[in-house]
Structure formats: structure tokens, C-alpha cells
Amino acid sequence: MMNRVVLVGRLTKDPELRITPSGVPVASFTLAVSRPFSNQQGEREADFINCVVWRKPAENVANYLKKGSLAGVDGRVQTRTYDGQDGKRVYVTEVLAESVQFLEPRSASGDRGEGGYNNPPREQKASYSGGNNYQNQPPRSNNQGYSTDLDKDPFANSGQIDISDDDLPF
Amino acid sequence: MMNRVVLVGRLTKDPELRITPSGVPVASFTLAVSRPFSNQQGEREADFINCVVWRKPAENVANYLKKGSLAGVDGRVQTRTYDGQDGKRVYVTEVLAESVQFLEPRSASGDRGEGGYNNPPREQKASYSGGNNYQNQPPRSNNQGYSTDLDKDPFANSGQIDISDDDLPF
Amino acid sequence: MMNRVVLVGRLTKDPELRITPSGVPVASFTLAVSRPFSNQQGEREADFINCVVWRKPAENVANYLKKGSLAGVDGRVQTRTYDGQDGKRVYVTEVLAESVQFLEPRSASGDRGEGGYNNPPREQKASYSGGNNYQNQPPRSNNQGYSTDLDKDPFANSGQIDISDDDLPF
Amino acid sequence: MMNRVVLVGRLTKDPELRITPSGVPVASFTLAVSRPFSNQQGEREADFINCVVWRKPAENVANYLKKGSLAGVDGRVQTRTYDGQDGKRVYVTEVLAESVQFLEPRSASGDRGEGGYNNPPREQKASYSGGNNYQNQPPRSNNQGYSTDLDKDPFANSGQIDISDDDLPF
DNA sequence: TTTT
DNA sequence: TTTT
């Protein structure tokens, strides 16, 4: 009945942007959050926490964050389940981000000066405006919109075909 | 660099208490936390979040909580990894509880009037006092202390032989 | 850029419900949250945290919570400022509750069996439906709706005439 | 019974470091946390949240943070009360920081390249080692240790003579 | 001005 | 493998 998570950490790689069949953007990324204490070997470990974010902030994540970016997440812990390729049930625990904060001032962590508060997005994209306006985009072979990510089947490049509209929160 | 979780929900079953080889108690339990919104079918779903707690609060959890108890957890999201029985790496995301709150007033949720703030623990157990006082307990075949749980191999009754002293936080 | 609070505690008195000039309900209440440690005198102290909640959940708070109720709050820390009666600036720090959880199962804490999850509200009231439907209620002297609280000037019975539509979040 | 706050924001001015009569360091600072939404005038407001931190992290705050620094706080909401100079009770709500995170990479926000993760503290100071080792420092007129802040009465330069050992958490 |  |  209460479920709140707050994380600050760094993206382990560039976020991945997907579009559900009904046209809703979803971004997923992993945050590396180093632990505040050392282990028995005296090393500082990290937790690698999978995060998902939907709709408009999904686009922002895809546009402004990349591998190594410092980001804050405010959201909920979420569990879901899907049938693995080997036929057995897979249990997933991840963080559903309700908002994502960009904590990378200017080009502090970037190799090429992009990302950050006041900078233009990595590439200009059509903006999500709350409806299913993605549906009227040709699913492939177009040269704008989500082209870079989507000019291939959005669900083709990873093994996880387990994201569907059923996972939509709210 | 920041990692905080707060949960309130109900135990899906009785907590499990383990003792590491060096004598530290660990309890694990799953919290069912119902979502604040309904899905497309109009049903209220829940997240089933695995939690672990160490040392003294582990004992309290084992003594005062049971299936159905309402509990609050304040902790961190933690990821770990172990080699599954089939030889492939298993990734686990769970909540490391730093404190656990008993939110079940008196015997409100209990079938037999036990549990709750002011009630005696389910069975009187030797208390964890911060050291490795568990080490001087015979590992099996004793009739007090953690007997009910430990009079069998503490790691035998579940498939997860993946808890070791290496997982000890702090 | 991140601001999150989660509280679980008990109401120090019945919540107060107000309506802004433009017809938006606001409830305010104080949560007593006992500290997890004892002070130098060995006593367990508490923090008394003022909370505000707007719109629909404000009504629920007014209907379902009362002095002594156990409640959870998920929200943000908020500061505001107003001019005190003696002419000097007053600084207020409080919690803006985005959601409020009723943790009082059945009539566990109640003296009269009311409140709680499945029980009818203390008195049946017109429900807030997101618009300014309160505006078409006569501001005073009516005998239903928010009558019990509002049949007097909603801002008369306390010194704080500092709640206005300007404080509306979102 | 649960009380957790997480904040990320910027210091409104340099932190202030105090030492209690029994030699425990306390730092206080205010975080400006901008709100995630705009007000009716379309402006983005901020909350100005007073924070206190004790012992070792108090020293770190004093050494590594300054006006404008981006910082994260994980802690609790705390209320206390003291008698104002005009004889009437003053109620204070603030955040007791249990840990403070420095989110300012290198010299990104600094005017003079100091502060940040890997940089030396602003001035080298004796470190707090958990005991009351401050007591054996001459209370005034020394030229190192907490000199800059303490070579004057630690409680003289502000109106708040309301910090005492009684406020010590844990 | 504080709750169990 | 899930709780009220």
C-alpha cells in the first residue's frame, strides 16, 4: 500500500527506447548506484538497478541521457512475470520511474559535450503529446521521428519481447 | 549514490529465518504491495517484492510477522547474482530492509491472536546481541534457540543456497 | 530537483477540511511519528509533522481519518511564507501529501467503530469530481455538503488565513 | 513510525558548522529544491528546506559543500521547539540528514575549482573520529581545527542559540 | 497545540 | 510461488 523508491546513479549504457503496439514510448535503462559501504574485501560495490519509464519522460531519457550520465529516479518497485524462451516463468523486479532527473550539469560527464540541462537533445524528435500519435507513423523505413532507434523493429534488437501495453501503468 | 526504498504491504507467507555460517541471522520475506491504480481490465494488481533483513531486526521479523501481517520496510534496492543449478547466472533484485515496522495493531490480522506490537513473540528465542554468539550453538539437533527453523540444515529447505556471509551489508 | 517524503504515523487530532475561494478542498493534519531511538533521558520522542493534502484525497482524509488514526503519507517537503498577525514574516515547512494511506484496519483504533478501509465515511458528503463544483454551493448557511466544517467561515476558526488558491500545487 | 526524506537541490549559502558543548560537530544548510511544476503565473518556484547533519558527515558538508553546490540528502523530517527571544514558543520543522551526497562533479558549479568528489577539502581540518576529541581543543584562539568558524563563539554569530546536546540524534 |  |  506504499511503494516509493528514490535512486541517484549512473547509466550503465545508453537507454533503450521502445514503442508499444498502441504507440506509447517506453525507455529502459540500468542505473549503477554505488553502495555507501565497502564489502569484506574493502571494495566499494554497486547495485545495478533496471528502470523503466513511460510516455513523455521516456522520450526525455532517450534524448538527454546516455551511458555514464548521472540521473535521479523517483518511482516505485515493480514486479512482473513472463514466460522465458525455455518455457519457464521469469520473475522480474525493476523500478518504474515516475520522474527522471538529469543531474549532469552541462557537459560534465559527456565525451562530446552533449546531454545536460540546457543542451539540445541528441537529435530532434517528434514529441509525445499524450495520444497515440505514434501509430500514424510508418513502422519502419522513415527518416525522422524515432528513426535512429526505430528504423528497425523496436522489439527486434533484444531478447525481451515481454513489454506490451499490458505493462502500461495508469 | 542514493538508494532509498520505502514499502508498506502484507507478507505473502511466513518469513524465513536463516543463519549464515558465521552466525548472523537473516530473514527473508515477500511483501505484497497493491498498486494505487487499476489495470486495463479494471483489476487492482499488486507487486510482490522480496525483502531481506539482517541481524537483530531479522529476529524480530521472524518472531512478530507472519503471512498476512502488515509491515513497513525502509531500506535499499539491492542486486546480486549467483550461479543457478542449471549453470547459468541468475540476477536477483530485492530490497535490503534496514528497518522493518510492524503495522499490525494488536491481533487485527492474526487468526490466533498473536503478532502485533505488545504481544509476546511466537516462540521465545535467544536474542541476537551483535556478536557471533550463534557460533557456539550446535549446528543441529538442539532443542532451543533457532531450533524450529534450524534443527534441519538452515539452507536445505529451499533451493536458494545463495546466501552467504559475502552478502552481509556493512 | 528531487523531493520525496514518506511518513507513517498517527493523527494528533481530527483533520481540518477547508475550501479555497475557487472551490478546491484542502485538508490539513499533523502526524505524530515516533522516533526509532531514545533520547538521553531514555524516552522515545516523536516528531509532529504538519501535512496538507488537496482535492479528492483531502476529502478522503476528512472522511476516514480522525485523531489517533494510523496513516501513511507519500509526498514532498514544502516551504511557504506568509505575513504573521504581528507584521513579521512567518516561515512554514510542511509536507504536501500526494497520497494518503489509511493503515487502520477495521475499527482497530477507533473509539466508535468508524474509519478504516471498508467502512462508510463519517458522514456522507458530495464528492470532489475534479472541477470547481464547489462554487455552486452557497458559501455558508447550508446544511449539507461540507456543512459541518463550512457552515462557518472555512478560514475563521484558526489563525491561519494563509491558505489561498496560490498554494495550489499542479 | 516511518519517516524518510530524500532531497536533491542546491545550497542557498555556505553551510554553517557548529560544535556542541560536548564537542560534537553539527552542520546546517538550506537546500533549494525547485518544484517539478509551475505556479499559476507560469513560474518555477522552489522549496527552501533547512537541513541539519551531525558528526562526521557534518564535517564533510562543511569541507566540500558551499553556496550553489548540488547535494543529495537522505534523512528524516524532524520537529523541535524552542523559546524565542520574544518569549514565545517557536516551532521548527527541518530535515535531519543521515547522509549527504555530493553531486557536483569536479568543479562544475564552483567559481574557483574547489569542492566536488576528488578535490581536497577547502581547508584541512582535524577529523571527527567518533569520540569527544573536540573537547581537548582550546575553545577559542587557536589557528587550526575549526578555527575559521570557531575562533569566535560557535553560537554567537546567529540568533539560534537553540542547538544543544539535547538535539543529538541516536 | 500533540498520537498509540 | 503470492497478501487483505
Side-chain angles (χ1 to χ4, degrees), chain C residues 55-68:
Chain C
R55 294 181 247 252
K56 185 60 192 169
E59 293 190 323
N60 295 333
V61 158
N63 285 335
Y64 294 104
L65 296 181
K66 59 174 195 299
K67 181 175 176 172

Side-chain angles (χ1 to χ4, degrees), chain B residues 8-164:
Chain B
V8 173
R10 292 187 181 278
L11 293 242
T12 60
K13 25 187 222 290
D14 288 358
E16 291 188 35
L17 185 61
R18 300 287 144 83
I19 313 285
T20 67
S22 68
V24 184
V26 213
S28 54
F29 56 94
T30 299
L31 274 191
V33 184
S34 48
R35 297 187 179 167
F37 49 86
S38 307
N39 65 13
Q40 270 113 343
Q41 287 71 254
E43 313 147 337
R44 203 62 157 271
E45 291 175 271
D47 295 291
F48 300 98
I49 304 167
N50 296 322
C51 300
V52 208
V53 58
W54 292 80
R55 294 181 246 251
K56 186 60 191 170
E59 293 190 323
N60 294 333
V61 159
N63 285 335
Y64 294 103
L65 296 180
K66 60 177 195 298
K67 179 175 178 174
S69 299
L70 186 69
V73 158
D74 186 342
R76 313 170 18 90
V77 182
Q78 183 172 82
T79 59
R80 60 194 169 83
T81 236
Y82 65 95
D83 294 305
Q85 61 294 7
D86 52 344
K88 56 187 204 355
R89 206 129 207 72
V90 181
Y91 294 86
V92 178
T93 299
E94 66 204 353
V95 168
L96 171 67
E98 290 168 0
S99 75
V100 179
Q101 219 50 38
F102 307 144
L103 299 172
E104 209 62 82
R106 27 230 147 202
S107 54
S109 86
D111 31 316
R112 280 167 308 139
E114 66 185 13
Y117 302 137
N118 324 297
N119 305 60
R122 261 184 292 172
E123 56 202 80
Q124 210 50 52
K125 288 175 182 177
S127 175
Y128 181 63
S129 50
N132 56 358
N133 51 327
Y134 287 109
Q135 282 175 325
N136 45 25
Q137 295 186 187
R140 17 174 83 246
S141 300
N142 76 85
N143 263 322
Q144 40 139 243
Y146 286 93
S147 55
T148 351
D149 298 285
L150 294 182
D151 210 353
K152 42 188 169 338
D153 179 358
F155 299 113
N157 54 345
S158 86
Q160 345 154 234
I161 37 172
D162 56 307
I163 280 189
S164 86

Side-chain angles (χ1 to χ4, degrees), chain D:
Chain D
M1 302 164 63
M2 302 192 81
N3 184 337
R4 185 51 57 181
V5 188
V6 181
L7 305 172
V8 173
R10 293 190 179 276
L11 291 240
T12 60
K13 28 186 222 286
D14 289 357
E16 292 188 37
L17 186 62
R18 300 287 145 82
I19 312 286
T20 66
S22 68
V24 184
V26 213
S28 54
F29 56 94
T30 300
L31 274 191
V33 184
S34 48
R35 297 185 179 166
F37 49 85
S38 306
N39 64 13
Q40 270 113 344
Q41 287 72 252
E43 312 147 337
R44 203 60 159 272
E45 292 174 89
D47 294 292
F48 300 96
I49 303 166
N50 296 321
C51 300
V52 209
V53 58
W54 291 80
R55 295 182 244 251
K56 185 62 191 169
E59 293 190 323
N60 295 333
V61 159
N63 285 336
Y64 293 104
L65 296 180
K66 60 176 194 299
K67 179 176 177 170
S69 299
L70 187 69
V73 158
D74 186 343
R76 314 171 16 91
V77 182
Q78 183 173 79
T79 58
R80 60 194 168 83
T81 237
Y82 66 95
D83 293 306
Q85 61 293 5
D86 53 343
K88 57 187 203 358
R89 208 129 204 73
V90 182
Y91 294 87
V92 178
T93 299
E94 67 205 353
V95 168
L96 172 66
E98 289 170 359
S99 76
V100 179
Q101 221 47 40
F102 307 144
L103 299 173
E104 210 61 83
R106 25 228 149 207
S107 53
S109 84
D111 32 316
R112 279 167 310 139
E114 67 184 14
Y117 302 135
N118 324 297
N119 305 59
R122 262 186 290 173
E123 57 201 80
Q124 211 49 52
K125 290 175 182 178
S127 175
Y128 181 65
S129 49
N132 55 358
N133 50 328
Y134 287 109
Q135 281 177 324
N136 46 23
Q137 294 186 187
R140 18 174 83 244
S141 300
N142 76 84
N143 263 324
Q144 38 139 244
Y146 285 94
S147 55
T148 351
D149 298 284
L150 294 182
D151 209 352
K152 41 188 169 337
D153 179 357
F155 299 114
N157 55 345
S158 85
Q160 345 153 235
I161 37 173
D162 56 306
I163 280 189
S164 86
D165 285 345
D166 292 352
D167 296 315
L168 253 168
F170 320 126

